Amino acid sequence: MITETISGFRLSPHQKRLWLLQKESGAAYVAQSVICIEGNFKPEVLKAALQNIVNRHQILRTTFHCLPGMKIPVMVVKDSSVLSWREIYLSKDNSQKFTITSICQEEKSHPFDFEQGPLLRCSLLQLSANKHILVVTLPALCADARTLKNLFAEISDSYSACLQGEDFSKEVVQYVQFSEWQNDLLEDSEAEAGKNYWSQQDFSALDTLTLPFADNFYQKTEFQPQVYNFTLSPHLTQEIKTNHRGAETRGGEGLNSNLVSLFLLSCWQILLWRFTGQAEIIVGKICHGREYEELNDVLGLFAKSLPITSRLNTDLHFSEVLQQVTQAVEEANEWQEDFIFEKNVESFPFIFDFEQLPEKCLASDVLFSFDTQYICLEPFQIKLSCIDKEEFLELGFYYNANLFSADAIHRLAEQFQTLLTSAIENPDVAISQLQILPPNQLEQLLIDFNQTQVDSPRNKCIHQLFEEQATLTPDKIAVVFEDKQLTYSELNQSANQLAHYLQKLRVQPDVVVGICLERSYLMIVAMLGVLKAGGAYLPLDPGLPKEAIAF
């Protein structure tokens, strides 16, 4: 019997969880960035620069191998790896077929070959002689948001080095070193304090946290991520950064990025509270997971979601919620190194992420700018992703398309923007009084939905109109009471039987019939039956004294 062996490295705790998630759901957990390149650009130099980066970082030459019987693979680092590279010229003839959006979607949805590789995919799109777009796609097993930003910086540096013939192979910290350290940390007795901190937290509120407009929440469990991106106006962005009076640190320099993040997270939790009515709101806040300076430039999966809990009620002011969220984030960050996801909670239904856009990089006479990114590291119902682009804030609602329609998410985005404006203008009012409905939704709710005036026929009674409806929709539900329901046909038939019985008792016009019943579907049958017989009904409360009923 021949036993095959694999020489490799253990996956980090983050990777192990993600591997099991993607095997279970089949969803594409992907990290992707779009980089704009302008100037006198040389594609062949960029390709060589990217190959240098692959040679420098082991995680870009890593494959994942599982032998029979193994649930978790090992990382195998190849000595060399050929870059996955393609060039597309977006001429007028193929611009419809190959758009930036369609190519990004194609790269995200195309499965990765984890055993063979390569896992880094690069598509260069030529828009004109002096403008190109580079789409960089990696599986989330190998990258997070910080990795994409590090890659962006290295691409411009490596491009410049290739142009000048300089060496770009200096030694860097490798991801497998971090992975081994993380696995050892799980067994380290010195980490017991952090483990105890998280084990004492109550995350039971996550089990019931869902939005009322989620579609078939219990029937559809497959994770199908989609995203709706939108941009806050420069005016609203400026208001958030400089005019928010709820922050104690407000001054001449306005809010720094951390306070902007806390403000947006507070608004996100308030909006969830307004919709769910649940007093305890838990949101998973994505942290970069690089607690030590040596890890800042390393490529790989470090990011994880930390639970941020807020306890909200109608009397709290926004400034109080902001203070509560700030304290919760500080405590979570203090113990983030010891948070092992699968040992505390299975997943967060709602997530928050905030990133700053990296600055533009100039390499010779070529300008590299970070345009957009797409990050999906775990399942969720909805994730609010925020990117600070200095002049404006770009927000994205990532959502499970099996739970929410695109229209529902668009409305949610409008409501969130309305809440942002209301919180800025009214930081000292109760959060229950903050406005969440934009003018168009408010008008629809108060005016459009109340346009119920109709021209009723003047020569027909209510029971005759009911008979017409029963003819049109005999199988539709007409009345529901507790666990009993009747269709229009069944209700009409029951009322007809009662009418015939009452006519035998000489019920006719000007004859009043008392109806003494507890509230139920039988009361509807009785009312229609009396009217069909030609009489008039008099409702009597069964709770009245017998003398009153007899009178």
Side-chain angles (χ1 to χ4, degrees), residues 430-498:
I431 56 175
S432 57
Q433 301 302 311
L434 293 175
Q435 183 62 256
I436 64 172
L437 289 179
N440 63 315
Q441 293 185 28
L442 193 61
E443 180 179 2
Q444 185 181 49
L445 182 65
L446 298 180
I447 299 177
D448 295 349
F449 288 166
N450 284 312
Q451 297 290 349
T452 58
Q453 298 93 339
V454 293
D455 294 327
S456 299
R458 296 180 180 276
N459 60 342
K460 293 183 180 179
C461 298
I462 184 67
H463 63 282
Q464 294 171 320
L465 295 173
F466 171 78
E467 289 172 348
E468 292 180 358
Q469 186 63 40
T471 302
L472 292 173
T473 57
D475 298 324
K476 297 291 185 180
I477 302 300
V479 61
V480 176
F481 178 77
E482 295 180 347
D483 59 346
K484 179 70 175 179
Q485 61 184 28
L486 295 176
T487 64
Y488 276 94
S489 177
E490 292 170 337
L491 179 55
N492 193 45
Q493 184 179 359
S494 297
N496 285 339
Q497 291 175 347
L498 178 59

Side-chain angles (χ1 to χ4, degrees), residues 27-32 107-110 112 121 136-141 143 374-377:
Y29 296 97
V30 174
Q32 184 182 80
E107 291 287 10
K108 286 186 291 188
S109 59
H110 186 65
F112 290 96
R121 298 203 289 245
V136 178
T137 308
L138 280 159
L141 281 170
Y374 173 94
I375 306 287
C376 185
L377 305 178

